[in-house]
Amino acid sequence: MTRFTVNGNPVEYQLAPDTPLLWALRDASNLTGTKYGCGRGLCGACTVHVDGEARRSCQVRIGDIEGAFVTTIEGLSENSDHPVQRAWVAEQVPQCGYCQSGMIMAVAALLKATPKPTDEEVRSGITNLCRCGTYPRILKAVRRVSAGVEGEEGQPSAE
């Protein structure tokens, strides 16, 4: 039995301790916002926060996080109104959207640690992959949040 907290709720998993957190979240807790991408920790589609740190959930074994606090995209905000989520909408970041939950979680962790990152800090700090290539819009969204710009939904910034 492995116990930790997910999105503020205590959970107990009767799964093997080497089960990847990704599969515990998706299969045992039905939290499907965390996506399977590569299964090797390379793409970042499965990024969640473990004790506030962005982690690739496909590479985290549940036995290694006993007592930890895990936040998924579903727990980032109550009404999808986290500043990063609002900026994502305002800058029209997603195309296919598959990688976006992991990307948002990575950006939220970066901005918590570095509230006003330089463009280079964003590029080096966010290693998630987006096959649609929305990196310029992601950078605009990060700039929007770090500048404290709210803006209208669906109205991209003029850059």
Side-chain angles (χ1 to χ4, degrees), residues 42-104:
L42 303 172
C43 73
C46 67
T47 301
V48 299
H49 297 172
V50 178
D51 291 334
E53 178 184 332
R55 301 275 305 273
R56 308 283 168 94
S57 64
C58 70
Q59 298 298 298
V60 175
R61 299 178 318 159
I62 63 170
D64 294 338
I65 61 167
E66 181 84 29
F69 292 87
V70 175
T71 305
T72 68
I73 190 70
E74 292 92 346
L76 186 62
S77 66
E78 206 169 294
N79 299 312
S80 298
D81 62 354
H82 186 278
V84 174
Q85 291 169 306
R86 289 194 314 263
W88 239 242
V89 172
E91 293 300 335
Q92 301 174 9
V93 172
Q95 280 187 12
C96 83
Y98 194 81
C99 69
Q100 297 306 302
S101 59
M103 190 75 74
I104 288 169

Side-chain angles (χ1 to χ4, degrees), residues 121-143:
E121 287 172 319
V122 174
R123 287 185 191 100
S124 65
I126 305 301
T127 58
N128 298 43
L129 300 177
C130 174
R131 292 188 66 164
C132 297
T134 65
Y135 301 110
R137 287 184 270 175
I138 290 166
L139 188 55
K140 284 182 184 180
V142 173
R143 287 181 194 147

Side-chain angles (χ1 to χ4, degrees), residues 6 12 21 77 90 96 113 115 130 152 155:
V6 177
E12 294 181 358
L21 175 59
S77 66
C96 83
C130 174
E152 295 292 318
Q155 299 299 313

